[in-house]
Amino acid sequence: MEDRGSVGKVLLLVAFLELVLTSLCSGRHPLPILWIMPQTAEPGGSNLTEALLPAVQLALQHLSRQPAPLRNYQLQLHFADTQCDNAKGLKAFYDALFYGPKYFIVFGGLCPSVTSIIAESLQGWNLVQLSFAATTASLADKKKYPNFFRIIPSDNAVNPALVKFLKRYGWNRVGTLTQEVQSFPVVQKDLIKQLEKANIQIALTETFSQDPCESIRNLKVNDVKIIIGQFDELSATKVLCCTYHLNMFGGRYQWLIPDWHQESWWSPSGLVNCSSQSLLKAMEGSISVDYETLSAKQIRGVSGRSPQEYQREYDKWREEAGVESSRLHGFAYDGIWTVAKTLTRVMEVVRHKERYSIHQNFTISQKELGQMVFEAMNETNFFGVTGQVLFKDGERIGTMQFTQIQEGKKVKIGEYNSITDVLELNRKIRFPGTAPPRDQTLVRPQRKEINVLLYCILSSVTILGMLMASAFLIFNIKNRSHRFIKMSSPNMNNLIILGGMLSYSSIFFFGLDGSFVSEEVFETLCTVRTWILTFGYTLAFGAMFAKTWRVHAIFKNVKLKKTAIRDLRLVAVVGGLLLIDLCILISWQAIDPLRRTVEVFSLELDPLGEDIALRPFLEHCENTHMTTWLAIIYVYKGFLMLFGCFLAWETRNVSIPALNDSCYIGMSVYNVGIMCIIGASVSYMTRDQPNVQFCVVALVIFFSSTVTLCLVFVPKLITMRRDPDSATQSAWYQLTQGIKRDVEDTQRRSSITSVVQTSSSRLYSLQTENQGLRRRVMELDSELEVVARQMQDLPQMFLCKEHFGEKTFTTHAGVLGRNKCRTLPQNSRTSRNGAKDINSPEQLQRRLSLQLPILHHAYLPSIGGVDASSASPSNSTSSLSKHAAMATCSYSHVPTRL
């Protein structure tokens, strides 16, 4: 390698000696130029100066054959080796300025660090530098490097071409992948500005230093399809390998990467676990954009040769010198022509000023000369082998070319002219897919809607339910005058039917979504269906519970007061329940109304494999405090249902079918409660499945309403169909009517109580009282027998004074001596002979034998033994009526031993 470097130095020395001798022998005016270049681009690399030297020599030869004034001047190149080292390069530059001649221009510069140091000091030396190899984007800063020019486009020059290419295919969303080395971050920063200026969205900017896989994965997660890469050749294989493993290639992705001119740069290394076939597969279809090294136009330029003719001459010179080709040789060739034309113009201006100056000793300062070179360089405009040579703020406005990897080979697909801002693409461009990929997955919103067939089926079933309810309504209205239907409160039955029909109608509104109505109408339906279902429930169960409350009020009337609860009062009860509903719903609507909300789900890829994704969304009726309002409704309806269950339980023993629906109410509450619990649970769990949710809600409403209506009206239909007459003339009906008449005639008779109060608690108390009275009667019978035996042994006679005209009823207590009796005087008994016979022991025993059965039977009606009518004195035998007057007797005296 050292021998090769020595040979290169010898060749360079010989070449420069030839250039100097040619300029001295030609007799033309010499123009010293400082050529600063490294002998090698990097340690171990090829000698770039050797590869460019044939192009420089060819340019100087072509210049010598040009007409005046170009042929009047000879460029003298003085070489300075920077060695790509800042210190050595700066020393070589200062030594050249100190020991060498007075230079007009600094030519060359490759390594970014060395070039930037020299370019920053040019203004102090009043020099202008023209580089044909430095592409670093940072050198475009004219505040820091005002005297720096370059004939090769900078790295930033590809950004306008990329933006133009993106616009051509309508890609408005891109992502960037940048390596954090060299000048790539600077290029990325300028690219972002260009993209924002063109209104192209930057979806994600990713950077990496070692492993790019995580950054590439992030691009995939964020659905970036168009990716602009900025990385070197060594990292390119890592990027392609990660791309292959993540399946980010093919017709759904488009990579825009730098162009590397080394052949087979994608060959795998030990740093990646991918084969060459995998890398080529990942790279297939990728597009590169870079400056055009040699114009493709068949135009003869400033040298009188076309780019193709120059290429053939350069290859011939290079082959004769035995050096390798360089992709920068065209810029070196055009650079010499730029320097020559610039200095020629400056020298002509100086000669003109010197000729027409009023001063005999005309001189021009170094600063003025530097300014003239700067202005002349800025005005350069000619067509060279690399295209149109034109500067703007020291930057070359050149031509960018686009190439694409097709079947492992680079194919030029177009070019972009920075001067005219025109992008030209040929028909060779092709994409792996059937069309250019989209800049992002095409997201098509897909409403999760209710199936039309399912809606039609459930609507048909609902219509059948409404027809059934209409049939019940017709039956109820037609037979409202019938006693059996009249006793069941037909007006309240109509309210039950109305509530059921409202519940049925809510099913139609629950099935209407955004596929049927607009967003505004859907939001209105959110409120309408809630109100209808709430009112329907209250009407149906409120009327049913009101009927049960009336039965409870009548048959639980312990004081036996006359109770008349008319239908108007029951309607008022239902109206009160509706008023509570109305207050809750109005507050709900005023404070926190229901709104249309949209729930968005995750993307679903198109099953056909196209670059299309479906974004499902579902419409809901929600508000901020949805749980609170639902809890209020559920608690209120729950208490209403519990109260209905209580009334049904209290009136369960009222066995009058025409009046009492407690059994059916209990069954309805049970079915509705179970259906609502199941329906609410399943509906909440399937809120993201509208078909299942609608089916569950509709079936719950349908079955709840149907079961309630059938339990209320089907028994009535069956009873009326079997025996219309006996339905109202049953024994229970006659008994009830008799009870009502007896209660209206007299409310004080204790015998009515046992009939009216049919409840189990009242019957139990009466039975207990009856048993107690029976025991008391048995005790009295025993006492009467003892008194009878004692009366037979009385030694003396008693006289009882009978008070005529007084209606005093003697009871068995009077026999025991509780009545007012007194002993007659002796003279009184002796004066009345008739009384002696009446109060004789035989007559007294006879009277007791007649009175005891009468007393005994008088107590039997009170304990249920014998009917009061049969025990009355008027219905007794003649023998008993003969001695009835004796019962009014009051004894004046009772023996002491009694």
Side-chain angles (χ1 to χ4, degrees):
M1 189 64 65
E2 292 180 358
D3 295 340
R4 184 177 179 181
S6 300
V7 173
K9 290 181 179 179
V10 172
L11 292 176
L12 285 176
L13 181 58
V14 171
F16 282 116
L17 288 175
E18 291 179 355
L19 291 175
V20 173
L21 292 175
T22 303
S23 61
L24 292 175
C25 299
S26 61
R28 295 184 293 170
H29 184 71
L31 300 175
I33 305 298
L34 179 60
W35 186 8
I36 56 173
M37 283 288 291
Q39 186 176 352
T40 56
E42 57 185 16
S46 60
N47 193 328
L48 182 59
T49 307
E50 290 181 2
L52 296 178
L53 187 57
V56 174
Q57 292 175 336
L58 193 59
L60 293 175
Q61 183 183 14
H62 293 167
L63 279 170
S64 64
R65 299 174 184 175
Q66 293 296 316
L70 285 175
R71 65 179 300 173
N72 297 332
Y73 302 96
Q74 176 66 38
L75 300 182
Q76 294 181 354
L77 299 178
H78 298 263
F79 183 77
D81 187 8
T82 61
Q83 302 181 34
C84 276
D85 183 84
N86 293 347
K88 294 180 180 180
L90 192 59
K91 183 178 183 302
F93 175 68
Y94 287 155
D95 289 344
L97 294 179
F98 183 77
Y99 296 106
K102 186 177 180 181
Y103 299 105
F104 289 91
I105 284 181
V106 178
F107 183 66
L110 174 63
C111 302
S113 59
V114 178
T115 304
S116 60
I117 292 176
I118 295 176
E120 193 172 2
S121 62
L122 290 174
Q123 192 173 12
W125 297 96
N126 295 312
L127 291 174
V128 174
Q129 180 179 0
L130 177 64
S131 174
F132 55 86
T135 61
T136 307
S138 59
L139 292 173
D141 186 3
K142 292 307 167 185
K143 292 182 179 180
K144 192 174 184 180
Y145 313 106
N147 290 7
F148 180 79
F149 289 80
R150 51 185 161 192
I151 198 171
I152 185 173
S154 69
D155 294 334
N156 288 342
V158 300
N159 293 335
L162 285 173
V163 172
K164 198 72 174 181
F165 187 80
L166 295 174
K167 284 294 186 180
R168 169 64 65 88
Y169 290 99
W171 293 330
N172 295 318
R173 184 177 183 270
V174 299
T176 61
L177 179 66
T178 306
Q179 186 180 6
E180 294 179 340
V181 294
Q182 300 178 6
S183 62
F184 294 130
V186 181
V187 177
Q188 182 195 36
K189 186 177 180 180
D190 181 75
L191 175 62
I192 292 175
K193 292 181 180 179
Q194 297 283 347
L195 293 174
E196 291 177 349
K197 185 178 180 181
N199 295 324
I200 296 178
Q201 178 187 359
I202 304 171
L204 189 65
T205 57
E206 286 290 327
T207 59
F208 69 94
S209 58
Q210 297 295 331
D211 187 11
C213 292
E214 185 64 27
S215 298
I216 297 174
R217 189 177 293 108
N218 292 337
L219 291 171
K220 183 177 182 179
V221 170
N222 286 271
D223 192 39
V224 179
K225 302 297 182 180
I226 311 301
I227 305 170
I228 302 175
Q230 297 288 346
F231 39 83
D232 57 23
E233 299 177 30
L234 295 178
S235 299
T237 53
K238 297 180 182 180
V239 172
L240 291 176
C241 188
C242 296
T243 301
Y244 177 79
H245 288 302
L246 293 174
N247 197 27
M248 292 181 64
F249 61 92
R252 300 175 60 183
Y253 292 89
Q254 183 59 63
W255 284 84
L256 300 173
I257 59 178
D259 187 11
W260 299 287
H261 295 270
Q262 294 183 4
E263 296 294 335
S264 302
W265 59 265
W266 53 82
S267 299
S269 62
L271 301 177
V272 296
N273 55 348
C274 294
S275 61
S276 299
Q277 291 77 11
S278 300
L279 295 178
L280 285 174
K281 188 175 181 180
M283 188 175 55
E284 183 67 21
S286 62
I287 296 176
S288 301
V289 56
D290 204 352
Y291 48 81
E292 191 174 41
T293 57
L294 204 66
S295 178
K297 296 182 179 180
Q298 300 290 337
I299 301 176
R300 295 184 180 274
V302 66
S303 64
R305 294 166 180 81
S306 65
Q308 292 73 24
E309 293 173 347
Y310 158 76
Q311 180 70 42
R312 289 192 292 267
E313 292 186 42
Y314 168 75
D315 291 337
K316 181 179 178 181
W317 280 55
R318 179 182 59 80
E319 291 173 358
E320 291 178 355
V323 296
E324 296 179 358
S325 177
S326 172
R327 59 192 296 260
L328 301 178
H329 66 87
F331 296 105
Y333 179 85
D334 284 346
I336 294 296
W337 276 92
T338 303
V339 171
K341 291 181 70 66
T342 299
L343 294 181
T344 300
R345 179 180 301 178
V346 171
M347 296 307 297
E348 291 297 317
V349 172
V350 171
R351 284 188 176 186
H352 184 272
K353 288 185 177 181
E354 183 178 7
R355 180 180 303 175
Y356 295 101
S357 176
I358 60 176
H359 303 287
Q360 294 182 355
N361 298 326
F362 174 79
T363 58
I364 186 170
S365 66
Q366 185 68 22
K367 184 176 181 180
E368 293 177 343
L369 182 62
Q371 183 65 30
M372 293 175 63
V373 173
F374 179 85
E375 294 176 356
M377 186 76 73
N378 253 334
E379 296 174 359
T380 302
N381 188 0
F382 64 90
F383 187 86
V385 295
T386 58
Q388 192 74 24
V389 179
L390 186 66
F391 297 101
K392 181 179 180 180
D393 295 331
E395 297 294 319
R396 167 74 181 275
I397 305 176
T399 302
M400 302 291 112
Q401 70 174 4
F402 289 86
T403 58
Q404 186 179 34
I405 302 298
Q406 298 179 4
E407 298 178 357
K409 298 180 181 179
K410 283 198 266 186
V411 178
K412 184 178 179 180
I413 58 175
E415 61 182 25
Y416 169 75
N417 192 328
S418 302
I419 301 174
T420 59
D421 192 25
V422 174
L423 175 64
E424 296 179 357
L425 297 176
N426 54 38
R427 296 182 180 180
K428 294 182 180 181
I429 185 172
R430 62 185 183 184
F431 298 95
T434 56
R438 296 184 175 90
D439 56 4
Q440 61 180 329
T441 302
L442 181 59
V443 179
R444 293 180 179 176
Q446 185 182 47
R447 177 184 286 106
K448 284 192 172 185
E449 59 187 26
I450 297 174
N451 186 271
V452 178
L453 180 60
L454 177 63
Y455 181 77
C456 294
I457 293 174
L458 293 178
S459 297
S460 301
V461 174
T462 303
I463 292 174
L464 293 178
M466 297 184 74
L467 292 176
M468 180 195 68
S470 300
F472 289 153
L473 181 62
I474 295 173
F475 166 78
N476 191 67
I477 295 175
K478 183 178 180 181
N479 299 281
R480 64 183 181 278
S481 300
H482 200 282
R483 287 187 175 182
F484 185 73
I485 302 299
K486 189 174 183 179
M487 290 179 63
S488 66
S489 301
N491 293 327
M492 305 309 296
N493 292 340
N494 291 339
L495 292 181
I496 295 174
I497 296 173
L498 179 59
M501 296 188 74
L502 285 177
S503 300
Y504 281 133
S505 62
S506 66
I507 296 177
F508 298 109
F509 298 109
F510 274 103
L512 296 177
D513 54 18
S515 60
F516 294 95
V517 297
S518 62
E519 296 181 3
E520 293 77 12
V521 175
F522 179 82
E523 192 166 293
T524 304
L525 291 178
C526 292
T527 304
V528 170
R529 65 191 188 186
T530 304
W531 286 48
I532 291 178
L533 185 60
T534 303
F535 288 152
Y537 176 89
T538 302
L539 281 175
F541 283 91
M544 193 182 302
F545 297 157
K547 288 173 52 178
T548 309
W549 170 75
R550 178 163 62 182
V551 176
H552 179 272
I554 294 175
F555 285 90
K556 291 298 179 179
N557 187 5
V558 179
K559 295 183 179 181
L560 296 176
K561 293 182 180 180
K562 185 176 180 181
T563 304
I565 302 176
R566 301 184 180 276
D567 288 348
L568 186 60
R569 187 175 177 183
L570 300 183
V571 173
V573 171
V574 178
L577 297 176
L578 291 175
L579 184 60
I580 296 175
D581 282 339
L582 189 62
C583 293
I584 296 175
L585 293 175
I586 290 177
S587 301
W588 187 352
Q589 183 66 23
I591 299 175
D592 191 13
L594 288 171
R595 302 292 186 187
R596 173 185 175 271
T597 60
V598 178
E599 180 182 4
V600 181
F601 299 88
S602 58
L603 289 175
E604 298 177 0
L605 295 180
D606 187 13
L608 299 179
E610 298 181 2
D611 197 14
I612 300 175
L614 304 178
R615 175 78 72 180
F617 71 94
L618 183 60
E619 297 169 310
H620 295 291
C621 293
E622 294 179 347
N623 54 6
T624 306
H625 305 287
M626 188 73 174
T627 306
T628 303
W629 293 108
L630 289 179
I632 294 174
I633 295 292
Y634 289 158
V635 169
Y636 165 56
K637 299 299 180 183
F639 277 120
L640 180 61
M641 189 172 290
L642 290 176
F643 180 69
C645 293
F646 168 76
L647 294 178
W649 175 261
E650 285 292 311
T651 59
R652 67 188 184 281
N653 293 320
V654 180
S655 304
I656 306 175
L659 290 176
N660 188 24
D661 294 330
S662 61
C663 178
Y664 304 127
I665 290 175
M667 295 173 63
S668 298
V669 170
Y670 174 78
N671 285 281
V672 171
I674 295 298
M675 293 296 292
C676 289
I677 293 174
I678 295 175
S681 303
V682 176
S683 176
Y684 178 78
M685 291 185 295
T686 60
R687 68 189 307 269
D688 58 340
Q689 303 177 27
N691 287 315
V692 178
Q693 187 182 43
F694 171 63
C695 186
V696 170
V697 172
L699 291 179
V700 166
I701 296 175
F702 177 81
F703 281 111
S704 299
S705 302
T706 304
V707 168
T708 301
L709 292 176
C710 290
L711 288 175
V712 172
F713 290 97
V714 170
K716 295 177 175 57
L717 288 171
I718 295 174
T719 304
M720 293 290 293
R721 183 176 179 82
R722 286 180 178 177
D723 192 358
D725 297 330
S726 63
T728 57
Q729 301 299 328
S730 61
W732 283 105
Y733 179 77
Q734 295 177 358
L735 178 61
T736 305
Q737 295 299 320
I739 291 173
K740 288 183 178 181
R741 287 192 299 269
D742 292 338
V743 171
E744 292 175 356
D745 293 338
T746 173
Q747 296 182 359
R748 297 179 180 178
R749 296 178 59 184
S750 61
S751 60
I752 301 300
T753 305
S754 61
V755 179
V756 177
Q757 303 296 334
T758 59
S759 63
S760 59
S761 60
R762 184 62 176 168
L763 180 61
Y764 177 76
S765 63
L766 291 176
Q767 289 176 353
T768 303
E769 184 180 357
N770 190 12
Q771 293 176 2
L773 292 175
R774 285 178 181 275
R775 288 194 297 269
R776 182 61 179 164
V777 169
M778 293 175 64
E779 293 175 358
L780 292 177
D781 288 343
S782 300
E783 293 179 1
L784 287 174
E785 291 179 0
V786 172
V787 171
R789 287 194 299 269
Q790 292 177 355
M791 291 297 293
Q792 292 177 1
D793 300 332
L794 287 175
Q796 57 183 351
M797 304 298 294
F798 295 94
L799 181 64
C800 179
K801 182 178 179 179
E802 191 171 355
H803 301 278
F804 296 98
E806 296 179 4
K807 295 183 179 181
T808 305
F809 293 90
T810 304
T811 63
H812 64 279
V815 179
L816 296 177
R818 293 187 184 95
N819 290 331
K820 293 181 179 182
C821 296
R822 62 184 179 86
T823 306
L824 296 176
Q826 185 67 29
N827 56 4
S828 176
R829 290 199 305 264
T830 58
S831 64
R832 296 181 180 180
N833 297 327
K836 182 179 179 180
D837 296 333
I838 294 174
N839 294 323
S840 63
E842 292 80 6
Q843 295 294 331
L844 182 61
Q845 184 176 4
R846 184 178 181 181
R847 286 199 301 270
L848 289 174
S849 65
L850 294 174
Q851 290 176 353
L852 286 176
I854 295 173
L855 292 173
H856 177 72
H857 285 283
Y859 279 95
L860 289 180
S862 63
I863 62 175
V866 179
D867 193 0
S869 62
S870 62
S872 63
S874 62
N875 296 333
S876 64
T877 59
S878 59
S879 60
L880 294 177
S881 62
K882 180 178 179 180
H883 300 280
M886 297 179 183
T888 62
C889 175
S890 61
Y891 297 93
S892 60
H893 178 72
V894 178
T896 305
R897 58 182 181 180
L898 290 175

